[in-house]
Amino acid sequence: MIPGEYALVLAAAVAHAGWNALLKASSDRLLSLAAIRLVGLLLGAGALLVVPMPAPGSLELLVAAAAAHFLYFWLLINAYRVGDLSVVHPVSRGLAPMVLAFVAWLAVDEALSPAQVSAVATISGGIGVLAFRGGASRAALAFAVGTGVTVAVYSFLGALGVRAAGTVVGFQAWLEILTGIGVLAFTAVRRPAASLWAYARTQGAVGLSAGVLSVCGYTAYLLAVAALPMAAVSALRESGVLFAALIGTVLYKEGFGLRRVLAAALVTGGIVVLGVAR
């Protein structure tokens, strides 16, 4: 049976796939990102009424995690500007668990068991299979790799932050507030008011729905990583790439050929190993 924490992260993976599927339909990624972060800002501000403040020792990690998120947002938007979702997303998300495993081992001596290493590698490999498509430009791959590295960095900082903060939701609330204020301020400078209102009328509900899924997914990751190895949790979370592929097949009538069957088999096998290797 999958342990409770891993089941929580599987739910986060599904949420991650859901908001990416909604983001796929957006005509303006910056405005969609602003809508997502607006939801996080509002939920974070509301949570402050009922959750404790993070411990003072976690504040530097909180600021660093927010900065890493800003770099991630910039790289992600640029990656989608020059590359396809079907290439950028699997490359960045498949790379992140492997980078995080190395960083966690090097920085805080968080070692995985041989079975967990095998599971992380298998899940990352399955995600990578989805990225094996021709035609991707060097710029797209470069941005995708950079995005994957920043995913690992903000995941690492977030994990250390919640462990030091003494409150997962309190840390996450302040992280949502900081990133929300930053993204909304940047968007207000880069987009005229008319485009904001036009987006709100036509795609506002989609953006807000994506925001709820995004916040829930990352909160689930932080709840799990407070007790479980970072790389194992990250690998399970990034299996949302496969769920996104399944959503694409069901909703967008995309093909589910041999490549996706192989990816599904690898990711599923890795998830099973993680479930029994605790």
Side-chain angles (χ1 to χ4, degrees), residues 225-254:
V225 84
L228 294 173
M230 301 178 201
V233 175
S234 175
L236 199 57
R237 180 185 62 167
E238 307 312 349
S239 68
V241 171
L242 175 61
F243 292 111
L246 293 172
I247 290 172
T249 299
V250 174
L251 296 183
Y252 302 127
K253 308 304 179 184
E254 298 175 353

Side-chain angles (χ1 to χ4, degrees), residues 31 51-52 69 74 85 96 133 225 229 269 276:
L31 290 179
V51 299
H69 272 86
W74 181 82
L85 177 68
R133 298 183 63 182
V225 84
V276 300

Side-chain angles (χ1 to χ4, degrees), residues 2-16 220 233 236-237 239-240 243 267 271:
I2 298 288
E5 295 93 338
Y6 286 145
L8 178 67
V9 184
L10 275 177
V14 175
H16 181 77
V233 175
L236 199 57
R237 180 185 62 167
S239 68
F243 292 111
V267 171
I271 289 172

Side-chain angles (χ1 to χ4, degrees), residues 160-242:
L160 293 185
V162 296
R163 293 173 184 178
T167 167
V168 173
V169 179
F171 183 89
Q172 171 67 352
W174 276 106
L175 184 60
E176 293 291 347
I177 291 171
L178 292 179
T179 56
I181 292 174
V183 170
L184 290 173
F186 180 80
T187 304
V189 172
R190 295 297 298 269
R191 292 290 188 272
S195 66
L196 299 178
W197 289 115
Y199 176 87
R201 289 194 303 270
T202 59
Q203 300 184 57
V206 174
L208 295 178
S209 298
V212 172
L213 291 174
S214 175
V215 173
C216 291
Y218 192 60
T219 302
Y221 164 78
L222 291 178
L223 287 169
V225 84
L228 294 173
M230 301 178 201
V233 175
S234 175
L236 199 57
R237 180 185 62 167
E238 307 312 349
S239 68
V241 171
L242 175 61

Side-chain angles (χ1 to χ4, degrees), residues 26 28-35 77 183 186-188 190-191:
S26 174
D28 190 316
R29 294 188 181 93
L30 178 57
L31 290 179
S32 293
L33 177 62
I77 288 176
V183 170
F186 180 80
T187 304
R190 295 297 298 269
R191 292 290 188 272

